[in-house]
Amino acid sequence: MKKKQKKEKQRMLDGTILRLLRETRPIRKWLALSCVLCLLIISCAVLTPELLGGLVDKLYAFSQGKLAGRLSAALLPGLAILLGVYVLQSAVTYGNAFLLNNVVSRFFTCNLRVRISEKLQRLPVSYVDKTPVGDIIDRVDEDVSNMGNTIHGVIGTLMTGFLQLLAIAVFMFLEDWRLALVVVLLMPMSILLSSKLAAMSEKHWNDTFTEGGNLYALVEESYTNNPATKAFNLESYMEARHAKINVRHQKMSAKANFLSSVVQPVIAFTDALAYILIALLGGWLIVYQGVAVGTVVTVILFAKQFSAPLERIAEGFSNLQHAKAASRRVFALLDLPEEDRPAEPIRKPVAGNVRFEDVSFSYDPEKPLIRNLTIDVRQGQNVAIVGPTGAGKTTIVNLLMRFYDVDGGRILIDGQDISRLSRDSTRELFGMVLQDTWLFKGTVAENVAYGKPGATREEIVSACDRAYCDHFIRTLPQGYDTVISEDSASISAGQKQLLTIARALLADKQLLILDEATSNVDTRTELLIQKAMDKLMRGRTCFVIAHRLSTIVDSDLILVIRDGQIVEQGRHAELLARKGFYYQIYSSQYAI
């Protein structure tokens, strides 16, 4: 059983590398050019020992009186050629590195990150809800970078290394087969040890990347919730959590790097052993077999070059294990099932009649939330949804916006089942103001216009005026051109909420969702917002979720939710008169 699992795991790993190579198709022409440059680099590398060996032979002949004329005249042409070869090799090596860096960075890693970004847009909201932001950032940043580095390694390390080994071996055998045999016989031992050590490091690289994702997630969480951490004096607790994950990451990384770094000393040992044997055998051949000194020097130089590609190959094997772990995490994200994307558009004009028909839904199949929910909302009605925390109020909004799809039943807008409509056409019907404000880094005007790209400055100012935020905007240093963001300290939480309300006013959608829209504002600001909402709600179908019951006393219909079921419905006065669950909630808020 274990052998079968091991074979299956190996098959998956091999498939990961093959897929990684297939991902390079858009840049295959540039990679082919890089291969040609690699061949030119190898040609220069194997030519230099031959040139040096010839120069050594001339020096030896001159010392023995066998070379007529001046020594400089005999050596200068060869030295000029040798210098030219070295310059050419350096220039081509630089050009190849420049080519790979630009091509891989611009057309591989950049495109891969764009694909991941587009993939995230097509994934269900449930994936984003369940996955730490830091883990996604880690995959987009670190893992994609490691994949790009592997492309460098495959071309610049493995291919060049193997071709260089082959070329050097051929030239050594042409010089002297006995000396070449000493070097070549030690090569299998180096490659075997390198591949074994690289394979051993693969598990530790997997663990390293997993802990790296956890570390990113914790850092993101710590930064985002820094005010709360300080408010509750939890700095020591967060430091302890960070230290715990960091220690695990450090241990896994140390093991992986240790196994990867051991490869070079192993090759250095076999390389030193080859030097010793060549020196001993070469000296004996010079003395007793009459082999030329230049020949022995050439083979020694080739042997020195022989170790370099071996080290690169060993490094390449190690990087492949590194890349497998990174690639699996990226491909796992790219292979996630996407939301279904029906293309049917909504029939226009939209009146705004909404019906929940026997709807059932749960985030966890083992914990039912909404069961057989039926609601009829007519055009222009202001519908308030109230209930205790966890009753399913926000879930109703998530289903309306198709952030999640129903498990049973259906939701109709003007008689059309929204599950058959494209998500874009469904969501463009709604304006939203959520309890969690979201502002991006940009000017006030740009943030307000987010709901209506291309809005004029007059339209933006009008929306802000109706949302009662024009006054405070004009008190900012640059007014509507003041740059703000979600974490800006220059505006309060209530003012941020007012800006999102102005955004909804500007968008002017047929249906409106207010999810705890006044939860972050003071009483005076709440009254101002309520006045603006009264104007906005006229003629529109509105869903208002609120804990403050004072904000929904004038609603056309109040739905009281408990455990995913509507337990009461009616107007404010009617529900109070019944003295049921709504009366209990209202009394708990306003009891003296």
Side-chain angles (χ1 to χ4, degrees), residues 188-199:
M189 182 175 71
S190 295
I191 294 178
L192 180 63
L193 288 173
S194 301
S195 59
K196 289 292 183 182
L197 290 170

Side-chain angles (χ1 to χ4, degrees), residues 43 53 134 319 360 409 469 555:
S43 300
N319 288 338
S360 296
C469 56
S555 297

Side-chain angles (χ1 to χ4, degrees), residues 106-402:
R106 184 178 300 176
F107 299 109
F108 180 78
T109 56
C110 179
N111 288 347
L112 194 54
R113 289 188 174 111
V114 170
R115 284 175 55 196
I116 293 174
S117 177
E118 293 172 348
K119 177 72 176 185
L120 290 172
Q121 303 303 318
R122 299 191 298 269
L123 289 177
V125 175
S126 57
Y127 173 79
V128 179
D129 286 345
K130 295 175 182 177
T131 307
V133 175
D135 183 66
I136 296 176
I137 294 174
D138 188 34
R139 298 189 193 210
V140 175
D141 184 15
E142 292 292 329
D143 292 344
V144 172
S145 293
N146 286 318
M147 292 170 70
N149 291 336
T150 299
I151 302 303
H152 282 271
V154 169
I155 300 297
T157 302
L158 291 180
M159 192 203 79
T160 304
F162 279 115
L163 289 177
Q164 191 171 352
L165 280 179
L166 179 61
I168 290 172
V170 170
F171 275 85
M172 281 195 300
F173 274 100
L174 291 175
E175 289 291 332
D176 189 281
W177 67 270
R178 293 161 294 189
L179 293 172
L181 201 59
V182 172
V183 179
V184 173
L185 287 177
L186 291 173
M187 183 178 69
M189 182 175 71
S190 295
I191 294 178
L192 180 63
L193 288 173
S194 301
S195 59
K196 289 292 183 182
L197 290 170
M200 290 170 62
S201 70
E202 188 264 335
K203 176 185 179 299
H204 298 298
W205 282 124
N206 284 336
D207 295 338
T208 299
F209 282 122
T210 300
E211 292 300 335
N214 295 335
L215 190 60
Y216 264 80
L218 180 62
V219 170
E220 188 273 336
E221 176 187 328
S222 301
Y223 178 78
T224 304
N225 300 314
N226 185 261
T229 301
K230 290 183 177 297
F232 288 94
N233 292 322
L234 293 175
E235 291 92 339
S236 298
Y237 170 74
M238 295 303 294
E239 287 176 6
R241 285 184 62 193
H242 186 279
K244 186 177 180 180
I245 296 177
N246 204 33
V247 167
R248 289 202 304 268
H249 182 267
Q250 183 269 333
K251 287 181 178 178
M252 299 304 174
S253 179
K255 290 178 181 178
N257 281 296
F258 172 76
L259 289 172
S260 299
S261 61
V262 165
V263 172
Q264 288 190 347
V266 169
I267 292 176
F269 171 76
T270 57
D271 186 38
L273 187 59
Y275 279 141
I276 294 171
L277 294 176
I278 291 172
L280 293 175
L281 181 59
W284 185 84
L285 290 173
I286 291 171
V287 175
Y288 295 102
Q289 298 292 322
V291 173
V293 175
T295 298
V296 176
V297 171
T298 300
V299 174
I300 290 176
L301 291 173
F302 273 129
K304 181 176 177 59
Q305 286 193 355
F306 207 72
S307 63
L310 278 176
E311 290 179 3
R312 287 202 297 272
I313 290 171
E315 181 184 359
F317 281 135
S318 177
N319 288 338
L320 280 178
Q321 307 307 319
H322 202 176
K324 285 177 184 178
S327 299
R328 269 203 312 278
R329 285 164 49 84
V330 172
F331 293 149
L333 175 56
L334 291 174
D335 292 340
L336 286 171
E338 300 178 3
E339 292 179 320
D340 62 301
R341 304 186 73 80
E344 184 179 336
I346 187 80
R347 289 193 298 267
K348 294 184 177 181
V350 175
N353 297 299
V354 179
R355 174 176 172 79
F356 281 69
E357 191 174 277
D358 200 27
V359 168
S360 296
F361 173 78
S362 63
Y363 296 103
D364 183 348
E366 297 181 359
K367 298 178 180 178
L369 180 58
I370 294 177
R371 292 161 291 177
N372 309 115
L373 176 65
T374 297
I375 307 173
D376 271 304
V377 180
R378 297 189 303 275
Q379 173 187 357
Q381 277 194 315
N382 176 7
V383 180
I385 305 172
V386 301
T389 301
K393 304 186 298 298
T394 301
T395 300
I396 291 175
V397 173
N398 289 338
L399 297 177
L400 267 176
M401 296 292 292
R402 291 200 68 193

